[in-house]
Amino acid sequence: MITREMIDRINFLYYKSQTEGLTEEEKEEQKRLRQEYVKEIKERVRRELESIKYAENGCEHCGHDHHHHRH
């Protein structure tokens, strides 16, 4: 779960890395936070795609491709 605090922390670490630089510990923390963040985003996207896939399934088997029709 991505919290407000996590995002604040990611932003803070990024800003600090741009200004005064990070300690090794902070670099590790930044890496962990980013991995966590990316994982969460991927999960979210995967869930979105699955729900879309289910919604479109009604038409897939009939061979009609609604997305690419040009009239």
Coordinates of all heavy atoms in Angstrom, one line a residue:
M1 N 0.8 -1.2 0.0 CA 0.0 0.0 0.0 C 0.9 1.3 0.0 O 1.7 1.4 0.9 CB -0.9 -0.1 1.3 CG -1.9 1.1 1.4 SD -3.1 1.0 0.0 CE -3.8 2.6 0.1
I2 N 0.7 2.1 -1.0 CA 1.4 3.3 -1.0 C 0.8 4.4 -0.1 O -0.4 4.7 -0.4 CB 1.5 3.9 -2.5 CG1 2.2 2.9 -3.4 CG2 2.3 5.2 -2.5 CD1 2.1 3.2 -4.8
T3 N 1.5 4.9 0.8 CA 1.0 5.9 1.7 C 1.5 7.2 1.4 O 2.5 7.4 0.6 CB 1.4 5.6 3.2 OG1 2.8 5.6 3.3 CG2 0.9 4.2 3.6
R4 N 0.8 8.3 1.9 CA 1.2 9.6 1.7 C 2.7 9.8 2.2 O 3.5 10.4 1.6 CB 0.3 10.5 2.5 CG 0.5 12.0 2.4 CD 0.1 12.5 1.0 NE 1.3 13.1 0.4 CZ 1.3 13.4 -0.9 NH1 0.3 13.3 -1.7 NH2 2.4 13.9 -1.4
E5 N 3.0 9.1 3.4 CA 4.3 9.2 4.0 C 5.4 8.7 3.0 O 6.4 9.2 2.9 CB 4.3 8.5 5.3 CG 3.6 9.2 6.4 CD 2.1 8.9 6.3 OE1 1.6 7.9 5.7 OE2 1.3 9.8 6.9
M6 N 5.0 7.5 2.4 CA 6.0 6.9 1.5 C 6.3 7.9 0.4 O 7.5 8.0 0.0 CB 5.4 5.6 0.9 CG 5.7 4.4 1.6 SD 5.0 3.0 0.8 CE 6.1 2.7 -0.5
I7 N 5.3 8.5 -0.2 CA 5.5 9.4 -1.3 C 6.3 10.6 -0.9 O 7.3 11.0 -1.5 CB 4.2 9.8 -2.0 CG1 3.6 8.6 -2.7 CG2 4.4 10.9 -3.0 CD1 2.2 8.7 -3.2
D8 N 6.0 11.1 0.3 CA 6.7 12.3 0.9 C 8.2 11.9 1.0 O 9.1 12.6 0.7 CB 6.2 12.7 2.2 CG 4.8 13.4 2.0 OD1 4.5 13.8 0.9 OD2 4.1 13.6 3.0
R9 N 8.4 10.7 1.5 CA 9.7 10.2 1.8 C 10.5 10.0 0.5 O 11.7 10.4 0.4 CB 9.7 8.8 2.6 CG 11.0 8.3 3.1 CD 11.5 9.2 4.2 NE 12.8 8.8 4.6 CZ 13.7 9.5 5.2 NH1 13.5 10.8 5.4 NH2 14.9 9.0 5.5
I10 N 9.9 9.4 -0.5 CA 10.5 9.3 -1.8 C 10.9 10.6 -2.4 O 12.0 10.8 -2.9 CB 9.6 8.5 -2.8 CG1 9.4 7.1 -2.4 CG2 10.1 8.7 -4.3 CD1 8.4 6.3 -3.2
N11 N 10.0 11.6 -2.3 CA 10.3 12.9 -2.8 C 11.4 13.6 -2.0 O 12.3 14.2 -2.6 CB 9.0 13.8 -2.7 CG 8.0 13.4 -3.8 OD1 8.3 12.8 -4.8 ND2 6.7 13.6 -3.5
F12 N 11.3 13.4 -0.7 CA 12.4 14.0 0.2 C 13.8 13.4 -0.2 O 14.7 14.2 -0.4 CB 12.1 13.7 1.6 CG 13.3 14.0 2.5 CD1 13.6 15.3 2.9 CD2 14.1 13.0 3.0 CE1 14.7 15.6 3.7 CE2 15.2 13.3 3.8 CZ 15.5 14.6 4.2
L13 N 13.8 12.1 -0.3 CA 15.1 11.4 -0.6 C 15.6 11.9 -2.0 O 16.8 12.1 -2.2 CB 15.0 9.9 -0.6 CG 14.9 9.3 0.8 CD1 14.5 7.9 0.8 CD2 16.1 9.5 1.7
Y14 N 14.7 12.0 -3.0 CA 15.1 12.4 -4.3 C 15.6 13.9 -4.2 O 16.7 14.1 -4.8 CB 13.9 12.4 -5.2 CG 14.2 13.0 -6.6 CD1 15.0 12.2 -7.5 CD2 13.8 14.2 -7.0 CE1 15.4 12.7 -8.7 CE2 14.2 14.7 -8.2 CZ 15.0 14.0 -9.1 OH 15.3 14.5 -10.3
Y15 N 14.9 14.7 -3.5 CA 15.4 16.1 -3.4 C 16.8 16.2 -2.8 O 17.7 16.8 -3.2 CB 14.4 16.9 -2.6 CG 14.8 18.4 -2.4 CD1 14.8 19.3 -3.5 CD2 15.3 18.8 -1.2 CE1 15.2 20.6 -3.3 CE2 15.7 20.1 -1.0 CZ 15.7 21.0 -2.0 OH 16.1 22.3 -1.9
K16 N 16.9 15.4 -1.7 CA 18.2 15.4 -0.9 C 19.3 14.9 -1.8 O 20.4 15.4 -1.8 CB 18.0 14.6 0.3 CG 19.2 14.7 1.2 CD 19.0 14.1 2.6 CE 20.3 14.4 3.5 NZ 20.9 13.2 3.9
S17 N 19.0 13.9 -2.6 CA 20.0 13.3 -3.5 C 20.5 14.3 -4.5 O 21.6 14.3 -5.0 CB 19.5 12.0 -4.2 OG 18.6 12.4 -5.2
Q18 N 19.6 15.2 -4.9 CA 19.9 16.2 -5.9 C 20.7 17.4 -5.3 O 21.4 18.1 -6.0 CB 18.6 16.8 -6.6 CG 17.8 15.8 -7.3 CD 18.6 15.2 -8.5 OE1 19.0 15.8 -9.4 NE2 18.7 13.9 -8.5
T19 N 20.5 17.6 -4.0 CA 21.1 18.8 -3.4 C 22.4 18.4 -2.6 O 23.5 18.7 -3.1 CB 20.1 19.5 -2.4 OG1 19.5 18.5 -1.5 CG2 19.0 20.1 -3.2
E20 N 22.2 17.7 -1.5 CA 23.4 17.4 -0.7 C 23.9 15.9 -0.9 O 25.0 15.6 -0.4 CB 23.2 17.7 0.7 CG 22.0 17.0 1.3 CD 21.6 17.6 2.6 OE1 22.2 17.2 3.7 OE2 20.6 18.4 2.7
G21 N 23.2 15.1 -1.5 CA 23.6 13.7 -1.7 C 23.1 12.8 -0.5 O 22.7 13.4 0.6
L22 N 23.0 11.5 -0.7 CA 22.5 10.6 0.3 C 23.6 9.8 0.9 O 24.6 9.5 0.3 CB 21.4 9.7 -0.4 CG 20.2 10.3 -1.1 CD1 19.4 9.2 -1.7 CD2 19.4 11.1 -0.1
T23 N 23.3 9.4 2.2 CA 24.2 8.4 2.8 C 23.9 7.0 2.2 O 22.9 6.9 1.5 CB 23.9 8.3 4.3 OG1 22.6 7.8 4.5 CG2 24.1 9.7 5.0
E24 N 24.8 6.1 2.5 CA 24.5 4.7 2.0 C 23.2 4.2 2.5 O 22.4 3.6 1.7 CB 25.6 3.8 2.4 CG 26.9 4.0 1.7 CD 26.8 3.9 0.1 OE1 26.1 3.0 -0.4 OE2 27.2 4.9 -0.6
E25 N 22.9 4.4 3.7 CA 21.6 4.0 4.3 C 20.4 4.6 3.6 O 19.4 3.9 3.3 CB 21.5 4.3 5.8 CG 22.3 3.4 6.7 CD 22.4 3.9 8.1 OE1 21.5 4.7 8.5 OE2 23.3 3.5 8.8
E26 N 20.5 5.9 3.3 CA 19.4 6.5 2.6 C 19.3 6.0 1.2 O 18.2 5.9 0.6 CB 19.6 8.1 2.6 CG 19.4 8.7 4.0 CD 19.8 10.1 4.0 OE1 20.8 10.5 3.4 OE2 19.2 10.9 4.8
K27 N 20.4 5.7 0.5 CA 20.3 5.1 -0.8 C 19.6 3.8 -0.8 O 18.8 3.5 -1.7 CB 21.7 4.9 -1.4 CG 22.4 6.2 -1.9 CD 23.8 6.0 -2.4 CE 24.5 7.3 -2.7 NZ 25.9 7.1 -2.8
E28 N 19.9 3.0 0.2 CA 19.2 1.7 0.4 C 17.8 1.9 0.6 O 16.9 1.2 0.0 CB 19.8 0.9 1.6 CG 21.1 0.1 1.2 CD 20.8 -0.9 0.1 OE1 19.9 -1.7 0.2 OE2 21.6 -0.8 -0.9
E29 N 17.4 2.8 1.4 CA 16.0 3.1 1.7 C 15.3 3.6 0.5 O 14.2 3.2 0.2 CB 15.9 4.2 2.8 CG 14.5 4.5 3.2 CD 14.4 5.7 4.2 OE1 15.4 6.3 4.5 OE2 13.2 6.0 4.5
Q30 N 16.0 4.5 -0.3 CA 15.4 5.0 -1.5 C 15.1 3.8 -2.5 O 14.0 3.8 -3.1 CB 16.3 6.0 -2.2 CG 15.7 6.7 -3.3 CD 16.6 7.7 -4.0 OE1 17.8 7.4 -4.2 NE2 16.1 8.9 -4.3
K31 N 16.0 2.9 -2.6 CA 15.9 1.8 -3.5 C 14.7 0.9 -3.1 O 13.9 0.5 -3.9 CB 17.2 1.0 -3.5 CG 17.4 0.1 -4.8 CD 18.7 -0.5 -4.9 CE 18.9 -1.7 -4.0 NZ 20.2 -2.3 -4.0
R32 N 14.6 0.7 -1.8 CA 13.5 -0.2 -1.2 C 12.2 0.5 -1.5 O 11.2 -0.1 -1.9 CB 13.7 -0.4 0.3 CG 14.4 -1.6 0.6 CD 14.2 -2.1 2.1 NE 14.1 -0.9 3.0 CZ 15.1 -0.4 3.6 NH1 16.4 -0.8 3.3 NH2 15.0 0.6 4.4
L33 N 12.1 1.8 -1.2 CA 10.9 2.5 -1.4 C 10.4 2.5 -2.8 O 9.3 2.3 -3.1 CB 11.0 4.0 -0.9 CG 11.0 4.2 0.6 CD1 11.5 5.6 0.9 CD2 9.6 4.0 1.2
R34 N 11.4 2.7 -3.7 CA 11.1 2.7 -5.1 C 10.6 1.4 -5.6 O 9.6 1.3 -6.4 CB 12.3 3.1 -6.0 CG 12.5 4.6 -5.9 CD 13.6 5.0 -6.8 NE 13.7 6.5 -6.9 CZ 14.8 7.1 -7.4 NH1 15.9 6.4 -7.7 NH2 14.9 8.4 -7.4
Q35 N 11.2 0.3 -5.1 CA 10.8 -1.0 -5.5 C 9.4 -1.3 -5.1 O 8.6 -1.8 -5.8 CB 11.7 -2.1 -5.0 CG 13.1 -2.2 -5.7 CD 14.1 -3.0 -5.0 OE1 14.0 -3.3 -3.8 NE2 15.1 -3.4 -5.7
E36 N 9.1 -0.9 -3.8 CA 7.8 -1.1 -3.2 C 6.7 -0.3 -4.1 O 5.7 -0.8 -4.4 CB 7.8 -0.5 -1.8 CG 6.6 -0.9 -1.0 CD 6.4 -2.4 -0.8 OE1 7.4 -3.1 -0.7 OE2 5.3 -2.8 -0.8
Y37 N 7.1 0.9 -4.4 CA 6.2 1.8 -5.2 C 5.9 1.2 -6.6 O 4.8 1.1 -7.0 CB 6.9 3.1 -5.3 CG 6.1 4.2 -6.0 CD1 5.0 4.8 -5.3 CD2 6.3 4.5 -7.3 CE1 4.3 5.8 -6.0 CE2 5.6 5.5 -8.0 CZ 4.5 6.1 -7.3 OH 3.8 7.1 -7.9
V38 N 7.0 0.7 -7.3 CA 6.8 0.2 -8.6 C 6.0 -1.1 -8.5 O 5.1 -1.3 -9.4 CB 8.2 -0.1 -9.2 CG1 8.1 -1.0 -10.5 CG2 8.9 1.2 -9.6
K39 N 6.2 -1.9 -7.5 CA 5.5 -3.2 -7.3 C 4.0 -2.8 -7.2 O 3.1 -3.5 -7.8 CB 6.0 -3.9 -6.1 CG 5.6 -5.4 -6.1 CD 6.3 -6.1 -4.9 CE 5.4 -5.8 -3.7 NZ 6.0 -6.4 -2.4
E40 N 3.7 -1.9 -6.4 CA 2.3 -1.5 -6.1 C 1.6 -1.0 -7.4 O 0.5 -1.3 -7.7 CB 2.3 -0.4 -5.1 CG 0.9 0.3 -4.9 CD 0.1 -0.4 -3.8 OE1 0.6 -1.3 -3.1 OE2 -1.1 0.0 -3.7
I41 N 2.3 -0.2 -8.2 CA 1.8 0.4 -9.4 C 1.5 -0.8 -10.4 O 0.5 -0.8 -11.0 CB 2.8 1.4 -10.1 CG1 3.0 2.6 -9.2 CG2 2.3 1.8 -11.5 CD1 1.7 3.4 -8.9
K42 N 2.5 -1.7 -10.5 CA 2.3 -2.9 -11.4 C 1.1 -3.7 -11.0 O 0.3 -4.1 -11.9 CB 3.5 -3.7 -11.4 CG 4.7 -3.2 -12.2 CD 5.8 -4.2 -12.2 CE 7.0 -3.7 -13.1 NZ 8.2 -4.4 -12.8
E43 N 0.9 -3.9 -9.7 CA -0.3 -4.6 -9.2 C -1.5 -3.9 -9.7 O -2.5 -4.5 -10.1 CB -0.2 -4.7 -7.7 CG 0.6 -5.9 -7.2 CD -0.1 -7.2 -7.5 OE1 -1.3 -7.4 -7.1 OE2 0.6 -8.0 -8.2
R44 N -1.5 -2.6 -9.4 CA -2.7 -1.8 -9.8 C -3.0 -1.9 -11.3 O -4.2 -2.1 -11.6 CB -2.4 -0.4 -9.4 CG -3.6 0.4 -9.0 CD -3.2 1.8 -8.5 NE -2.8 1.9 -7.1 CZ -2.5 3.0 -6.5 NH1 -2.5 4.1 -7.2 NH2 -2.2 3.0 -5.2
V45 N -2.0 -1.8 -12.1 CA -2.2 -1.9 -13.5 C -2.7 -3.2 -13.9 O -3.6 -3.4 -14.8 CB -0.9 -1.5 -14.3 CG1 -1.0 -1.9 -15.8 CG2 -0.5 -0.1 -14.1
R46 N -2.1 -4.3 -13.3 CA -2.6 -5.6 -13.6 C -4.0 -5.8 -13.3 O -4.8 -6.4 -14.1 CB -1.7 -6.6 -12.9 CG -1.8 -8.1 -13.4 CD -0.9 -9.0 -12.6 NE -1.1 -9.0 -11.2 CZ -2.0 -9.6 -10.6 NH1 -2.9 -10.4 -11.2 NH2 -2.2 -9.6 -9.3
R47 N -4.4 -5.3 -12.1 CA -5.9 -5.4 -11.8 C -6.8 -4.7 -12.7 O -7.8 -5.2 -13.1 CB -6.1 -4.9 -10.3 CG -5.6 -5.9 -9.3 CD -6.2 -5.6 -7.9 NE -5.8 -4.2 -7.5 CZ -4.7 -3.9 -6.7 NH1 -3.9 -4.9 -6.4 NH2 -4.5 -2.7 -6.4
E48 N -6.3 -3.5 -13.1 CA -7.1 -2.7 -14.1 C -7.2 -3.5 -15.4 O -8.3 -3.6 -15.9 CB -6.3 -1.4 -14.5 CG -6.3 -0.4 -13.4 CD -7.6 0.4 -13.3 OE1 -8.0 0.9 -14.4 OE2 -8.2 0.5 -12.2
L49 N -6.1 -4.0 -15.9 CA -6.2 -4.8 -17.1 C -7.1 -6.0 -17.1 O -7.8 -6.3 -18.0 CB -4.7 -5.2 -17.6 CG -3.8 -4.1 -18.0 CD1 -2.4 -4.6 -18.3 CD2 -4.4 -3.4 -19.2
E50 N -7.0 -6.7 -15.9 CA -7.9 -7.8 -15.8 C -9.3 -7.5 -15.8 O -10.1 -8.1 -16.4 CB -7.5 -8.6 -14.5 CG -6.3 -9.5 -14.7 CD -5.9 -10.2 -13.4 OE1 -6.6 -10.0 -12.4 OE2 -4.9 -10.9 -13.4
S51 N -9.7 -6.4 -15.2 CA -11.1 -6.0 -15.2 C -11.5 -5.5 -16.5 O -12.6 -5.8 -17.0 CB -11.4 -4.9 -14.1 OG -10.7 -3.7 -14.4
I52 N -10.6 -4.9 -17.3 CA -10.9 -4.5 -18.7 C -11.1 -5.8 -19.5 O -12.0 -5.9 -20.3 CB -9.8 -3.6 -19.2 CG1 -9.8 -2.3 -18.5 CG2 -10.0 -3.4 -20.7 CD1 -8.6 -1.4 -18.8
K53 N -10.2 -6.7 -19.4 CA -10.2 -7.9 -20.2 C -11.6 -8.6 -20.0 O -12.2 -9.1 -20.9 CB -9.1 -8.8 -19.7 CG -8.5 -9.7 -20.9 CD -7.1 -10.2 -20.5 CE -7.1 -10.9 -19.2 NZ -5.7 -11.2 -18.8
Y54 N -12.0 -8.7 -18.7 CA -13.3 -9.4 -18.5 C -14.4 -8.6 -19.1 O -15.3 -9.2 -19.7 CB -13.6 -9.5 -17.0 CG -12.6 -10.4 -16.3 CD1 -12.0 -10.1 -15.1 CD2 -12.3 -11.7 -16.8 CE1 -11.1 -10.9 -14.4 CE2 -11.4 -12.5 -16.2 CZ -10.8 -12.2 -15.0 OH -10.0 -13.0 -14.4
A55 N -14.4 -7.3 -19.1 CA -15.4 -6.5 -19.7 C -15.5 -6.7 -21.2 O -16.5 -6.6 -21.8 CB -15.2 -5.0 -19.3
E56 N -14.3 -6.9 -21.8 CA -14.3 -7.0 -23.3 C -14.5 -8.5 -23.8 O -14.7 -8.7 -25.0 CB -12.9 -6.5 -23.8 CG -12.8 -5.0 -23.7 CD -11.5 -4.6 -24.3 OE1 -10.6 -5.4 -24.5 OE2 -11.3 -3.4 -24.5
N57 N -14.5 -9.4 -22.9 CA -14.5 -10.8 -23.3 C -15.7 -11.1 -24.2 O -15.7 -12.0 -25.0 CB -14.5 -11.8 -22.1 CG -13.1 -12.2 -21.9 OD1 -12.2 -11.9 -22.6 ND2 -12.9 -13.0 -20.8
G58 N -16.8 -10.4 -23.9 CA -18.1 -10.7 -24.7 C -17.8 -10.7 -26.2 O -18.5 -11.5 -26.9
C59 N -16.9 -9.9 -26.7 CA -16.8 -9.8 -28.1 C -15.6 -10.5 -28.7 O -15.5 -10.8 -29.9 CB -16.6 -8.3 -28.5 SG -18.2 -7.6 -28.8
E60 N -14.6 -10.9 -27.9 CA -13.4 -11.5 -28.4 C -13.6 -12.7 -29.3 O -13.0 -12.9 -30.3 CB -12.4 -11.8 -27.3 CG -11.6 -10.6 -27.0 CD -10.7 -10.8 -25.8 OE1 -10.5 -12.0 -25.4 OE2 -10.1 -9.8 -25.3
H61 N -14.5 -13.6 -28.8 CA -14.7 -14.9 -29.5 C -15.3 -14.7 -30.9 O -15.2 -15.6 -31.7 CB -15.4 -15.9 -28.7 CG -16.8 -15.4 -28.3 ND1 -17.1 -14.6 -27.3 CD2 -18.0 -15.7 -29.0 CE1 -18.4 -14.4 -27.3 NE2 -19.0 -15.0 -28.3
C62 N -16.0 -13.6 -31.2 CA -16.7 -13.5 -32.4 C -15.8 -13.0 -33.5 O -16.3 -12.8 -34.7 CB -18.0 -12.7 -32.3 SG -17.8 -11.0 -31.9
G63 N -14.6 -12.6 -33.2 CA -13.7 -12.2 -34.2 C -13.8 -10.7 -34.6 O -13.1 -10.2 -35.5
H64 N -14.7 -10.0 -34.0 CA -14.7 -8.6 -34.2 C -13.7 -7.8 -33.4 O -13.6 -8.0 -32.2 CB -16.1 -8.0 -33.9 CG -17.2 -8.5 -34.8 ND1 -18.5 -8.5 -34.5 CD2 -17.1 -9.2 -36.0 CE1 -19.2 -9.0 -35.5 NE2 -18.4 -9.5 -36.4
D65 N -13.0 -6.9 -34.1 CA -12.0 -6.1 -33.4 C -12.5 -4.7 -33.4 O -12.4 -4.0 -34.4 CB -10.6 -6.2 -34.0 CG -9.6 -5.5 -33.2 OD1 -10.0 -4.8 -32.2 OD2 -8.4 -5.7 -33.5
H66 N -13.1 -4.3 -32.3 CA -13.8 -2.9 -32.3 C -12.8 -1.8 -32.3 O -13.2 -0.7 -32.6 CB -14.8 -2.8 -31.1 CG -15.9 -3.8 -31.2 ND1 -16.9 -3.8 -32.2 CD2 -16.1 -5.0 -30.5 CE1 -17.7 -4.8 -32.0 NE2 -17.2 -5.5 -31.0
H67 N -11.6 -2.1 -31.9 CA -10.7 -1.0 -31.7 C -10.1 -0.5 -33.0 O -9.6 0.7 -33.1 CB -9.5 -1.4 -30.8 CG -10.1 -1.8 -29.4 ND1 -10.6 -0.9 -28.6 CD2 -10.1 -3.0 -28.8 CE1 -11.0 -1.5 -27.5 NE2 -10.7 -2.8 -27.6
H68 N -10.1 -1.3 -34.0 CA -9.3 -0.9 -35.2 C -10.2 -0.6 -36.5 O -9.7 -0.6 -37.6 CB -8.3 -2.0 -35.5 CG -7.3 -2.1 -34.4 ND1 -6.4 -1.1 -34.1 CD2 -7.0 -3.1 -33.6 CE1 -5.6 -1.5 -33.1 NE2 -6.0 -2.8 -32.7
H69 N -11.5 -0.5 -36.3 CA -12.3 -0.3 -37.4 C -12.2 1.2 -37.9 O -12.3 2.1 -37.1 CB -13.8 -0.6 -37.1 CG -14.1 -2.0 -37.2 ND1 -14.2 -2.7 -38.4 CD2 -14.3 -3.0 -36.2 CE1 -14.4 -4.0 -38.2 NE2 -14.5 -4.2 -36.9
R70 N -11.9 1.4 -39.1 CA -11.9 2.7 -39.7 C -13.0 2.8 -40.8 O -13.0 2.0 -41.7 CB -10.6 3.0 -40.4 CG -9.4 3.0 -39.5 CD -9.1 4.4 -39.0 NE -7.9 4.5 -38.2 CZ -7.9 4.3 -36.9 NH1 -9.0 3.9 -36.3 NH2 -6.8 4.5 -36.2
H71 N -13.9 3.7 -40.6 CA -15.0 3.8 -41.6 C -14.7 4.8 -42.6 O -14.2 5.9 -42.3 CB -16.4 4.0 -40.9 CG -16.8 2.9 -40.0 ND1 -17.2 1.7 -40.6 CD2 -16.8 2.7 -38.7 CE1 -17.4 0.8 -39.6 NE2 -17.2 1.5 -38.4

